[in-house]
Amino acid sequence: MGDGQSKRSCYSLEDDLRPIIDGKAELPNFKEVPLEEGVARLHFYYGGSIHKGHARVPGDTSAHGEWAMYFLNNTQAGNLDGSGYVAWSKWEYDPAKNNGRSVGHMATFAICQHEKKESPDARPMRGWHPGFCTKCGLDMTVDSGD
């Protein structure tokens, strides 16, 4: 993050994530994960917000993408961090069987691939880890102390 770039406490649902959720923008930093792995991660670790929308997967030529469910990640303070999981299904036709079926997919996405810089007043031995992303300025402070 350059000296002139301002710090931000969070990403905005409407300004930053709505174009992605509405299928108007391709999924940034898209990484498809095996469906079973993605569902397991959501089951054990997920605590963010859920939104219905459309997924514009890289290489997809449809006007608005596939119908999708978005699982948005939060910072420890509860603010959106610009990343999450997306699950969608796509109709796939099998010419050998002369039929089709809906096939589930899951991926991660992130507006920024955050790189945290710890603040000088960090006290890791006490669980105090203030810091921010060097790319976008997101507050990435974590307080794991008592």
Side-chain angles (χ1 to χ4, degrees), residues 130-143:
F132 60 92
C133 176
T134 60
K135 294 179 179 180
C136 70
L138 180 70
D139 182 355
M140 298 179 70
T141 298
V142 174
D143 185 357

Side-chain angles (χ1 to χ4, degrees), residues 106-124:
M106 188 165 268
T108 61
F109 71 95
I111 293 173
C112 177
Q113 292 181 317
H114 301 302
E115 291 181 11
K116 183 178 177 180
K117 178 177 181 180
E118 219 164 65
S119 296
D121 62 337
R123 300 289 178 261

Side-chain angles (χ1 to χ4, degrees), residues 4 6 11 13 16 34 56 58 66 77 85 94 109 124-125 142 144:
S6 63
Y11 280 86
L13 177 62
D16 300 315
R56 294 249 337 259
E66 302 295 331
Y85 289 88
D94 184 350
F109 71 95
M125 296 300 288
V142 174
S144 59

Side-chain angles (χ1 to χ4, degrees), residues 56-142:
R56 294 249 337 259
V57 177
D60 186 352
T61 58
S62 68
H64 57 76
E66 302 295 331
W67 181 90
M69 293 293 292
Y70 283 85
F71 304 86
L72 304 179
N73 293 328
N74 296 327
T75 64
Q76 186 181 31
N79 298 318
L80 294 171
D81 76 356
S83 71
Y85 289 88
V86 59
W88 73 97
S89 61
K90 188 169 185 163
W91 187 258
E92 296 182 5
Y93 182 73
D94 184 350
K97 296 181 180 177
N98 196 30
N99 69 5
R101 65 186 180 110
S102 184
V103 177
H105 298 272
M106 188 165 268
T108 61
F109 71 95
I111 293 173
C112 177
Q113 292 181 317
H114 301 302
E115 291 181 11
K116 183 178 177 180
K117 178 177 181 180
E118 219 164 65
S119 296
D121 62 337
R123 300 289 178 261
M125 296 300 288
R126 297 192 179 266
W128 177 236
H129 304 271
F132 60 92
C133 176
T134 60
K135 294 179 179 180
C136 70
L138 180 70
D139 182 355
M140 298 179 70
T141 298
V142 174

Side-chain angles (χ1 to χ4, degrees), residues 33-50:
V33 296
L35 187 59
E36 298 82 9
E37 178 184 331
V39 170
R41 286 184 187 178
L42 289 179
H43 177 74
F44 288 108
Y45 305 113
Y46 186 72
S49 58
I50 301 171

